[in-house]
Amino acid sequence: MKIAVLPGDGIGPEIVAQAVRVLKALGPNFDLEEAPVGGAAYDVAGHPLPPATLELAKKADAILFGAVGDWKYDTLARELRPEQAILGLRKHLELFANFRPAICYPELTSASSLKPEIIGGLDILIVRELNGDIYFGQPRGIRTSELPLFKGAREGFDTMHYSEPEVERIAHVAFEAARKRGKKVCSVDKANVLETSQLWREVMIRISKEYPDVELSHMYVDNAAMQLVKAPKAFDVVVTGNLFGDILSDEAAMLTGSIGMLPSASLDKNNKGLYEPSHGSAPDIAGKGIANPLATILSAAMMLRYSLGMPAQADRIEKAVQNVLAQGFRTADIYTEGTKKVSTIQMGDAVVAALS
Ligand code: IPM
Ligand code: MG
């Protein structure tokens, strides 16, 4: 099994190193090959997604990804910014289905800014479409405005669109996922304003007929943002487009109090996937050895389950993580009084030890 290891920027290399240790400790002989991505790749190869990195990602069975982005690249032209690496990988590999679970671990309930009764036992899944929407829509750019009031001024513009097949395939992913969980799908859109959303909703309703055992509901994105903090446990699977999913998945992750805990998977139609923590590159804490590697370690577990067909090994990692939490080990982001504060490497040590 070939795994492309793309550590990236900021805390990426530190957290990916711990996930790699965990994979190696599992036993099976994975063929791990590393390549630069994001700002780190721009520095050595002049592009955030160099051809060699893309080639490696294409030929691998799965991709383990850290994070990209750093303020020092903020002044680069958009096509050279680190974010283009992850967007390019998603697009080139047709990784259209993004799974972002938000789970509140019982040991970490007090780390959330919400009351324990609101988030205790939370287990929701955001299914975010990843290949379409305003992220990739053309035309886009900066031009001279034709609006009578602002004629001649510079204006930025982007295009939101979704074709029916794009909505159909993410709908199937969401309904299938719900079948294996709480059998509820909430489709989030802005159908009261956007044409794109109106079509999205129509397609969701049509596809839902193929899943009579799953209950479909709809919510406008502004209301969904509110309901996520008011009564998050009312959700099971949330399916939404690229832009709304970007925003709501950060919100859902933070509900759990520990964005450093949440893995994600981005899959193509054959379940080949890219696995990354839900959090970003956190350049402010990079190199300090305090980042939480658990989201990346749990992403490696998702990789074993979804792309590599090794569910027993995935279970082993997930149990080991629960075990280290039960033992009281905490990185700074999830530390509360009475627990044991550990570094990134010590957390990796603890997980490796808990595997056996
Ligand atoms: C995410 C990130 C990316 C996105 C950025 C880095 C381009 O925020 O994975 O949620 O907007 O999709
Ligand atoms: Mg985001």
Side-chain angles (χ1 to χ4, degrees):
M1 303 277 189
K2 191 168 192 66
I3 302 174
V5 179
L6 312 181
D9 306 321
I11 58 172
E14 299 164 57
I15 53 180
V16 166
Q18 299 313 310
V20 165
R21 282 182 64 201
V22 170
L23 282 171
K24 287 185 173 159
L26 280 180
N29 236 337
F30 298 111
D31 172 10
L32 300 156
E33 190 175 334
E34 196 175 310
V37 75
Y42 175 78
D43 287 342
V44 297
H47 194 278
L49 184 58
T53 301
L54 181 57
E55 262 332 289
L56 171 65
K58 280 185 174 163
K59 70 174 194 248
D61 299 299
I63 301 147
L64 183 64
F65 189 92
V68 288
D70 195 321
W71 304 302
K72 65 180 184 212
Y73 307 106
D74 277 0
T75 52
L76 289 177
R78 197 174 48 80
E79 64 276 11
L80 292 177
R81 291 184 49 151
E83 292 79 5
Q84 291 306 309
I86 185 67
L87 295 174
L89 283 166
R90 290 171 183 170
K91 196 68 180 170
H92 286 296
L93 303 180
E94 258 194 83
L95 307 170
F96 70 92
N98 185 208
F99 290 78
R100 297 195 166 179
I103 292 169
C104 188
Y105 289 83
E107 294 87 354
L108 301 181
T109 310
S110 58
S112 174
S113 51
L114 271 75
K115 296 195 191 93
E117 59 270 29
I118 292 183
I119 47 108
L122 179 75
D123 178 358
I124 64 181
L125 174 66
I126 306 228
V127 175
R128 169 187 175 195
E129 200 290 329
L130 217 47
N131 270 188
D133 205 350
I134 197 163
Y135 265 60
F136 296 98
Q138 294 291 344
R140 62 189 287 161
I142 294 175
R143 64 186 171 194
T144 306
S145 177
E146 293 296 333
L147 291 171
L149 257 181
F150 305 109
K151 209 172 165 61
R154 277 178 6 120
E155 90 180 348
F157 65 106
D158 296 272
T159 306
M160 177 180 273
H161 61 78
Y162 265 120
S163 64
E164 288 199 279
E166 284 176 289
V167 185
E168 284 164 11
R169 65 181 183 178
I170 197 70
H172 284 294
V173 167
F175 286 114
E176 295 287 348
R179 253 190 188 158
K180 298 185 195 127
R181 309 173 32 106
K183 301 196 168 48
K184 285 196 298 182
V185 169
C186 179
S187 168
V188 170
D189 63 35
K190 189 70 186 170
N192 51 346
V193 177
L194 303 173
E195 307 290 331
T196 311
S197 285
Q198 208 168 316
L199 181 76
W200 172 282
R201 193 177 278 221
E202 259 175 47
V203 175
M204 282 290 159
I205 293 170
R206 172 161 55 77
I207 300 298
S208 75
K209 308 278 190 264
E210 297 174 39
Y211 300 86
D213 51 323
V214 178
E215 178 198 311
L216 172 67
S217 62
H218 305 275
M219 205 178 272
Y220 298 140
V221 61
D222 48 351
N223 186 24
M226 225 161 50
Q227 297 306 323
L228 269 175
V229 284
K230 188 173 170 229
K233 284 190 263 184
F235 293 101
D236 176 29
V237 173
V238 173
V239 64
T240 190
N242 208 345
L243 180 64
F244 301 154
D246 178 44
I247 300 163
L248 294 182
S249 62
D250 267 25
E251 189 189 4
M254 205 58 214
L255 288 179
T256 69
S258 48
I259 194 165
M261 294 295 303
L262 300 176
S264 81
S266 305
L267 304 181
D268 75 0
K269 61 177 191 302
N270 302 316
N271 288 335
K272 170 168 171 171
L274 179 148
Y275 298 82
E276 58 175 325
S278 278
H279 58 72
S281 55
D284 52 326
I285 60 163
K288 296 189 177 157
I290 58 172
N292 186 347
L294 292 179
T296 316
I297 291 171
L298 290 166
S299 298
M302 277 183 113
M303 173 173 81
L304 294 169
R305 177 167 294 118
Y306 289 111
S307 289
L308 303 181
M310 302 171 80
Q313 302 288 19
D315 282 348
R316 267 182 81 198
I317 296 182
E318 285 162 0
K319 291 216 173 78
V321 168
Q322 279 159 20
N323 191 308
V324 302
L325 292 176
Q327 290 178 64
F329 294 113
R330 303 282 188 274
T331 41
D333 57 311
I334 51 173
Y335 174 78
T336 45
E337 237 184 82
T339 58
K340 296 170 221 160
K341 198 186 267 183
V342 294
S343 69
T344 309
I345 293 175
Q346 288 168 327
M347 188 58 107
D349 291 341
V351 176
V352 168
L355 280 176
S356 45

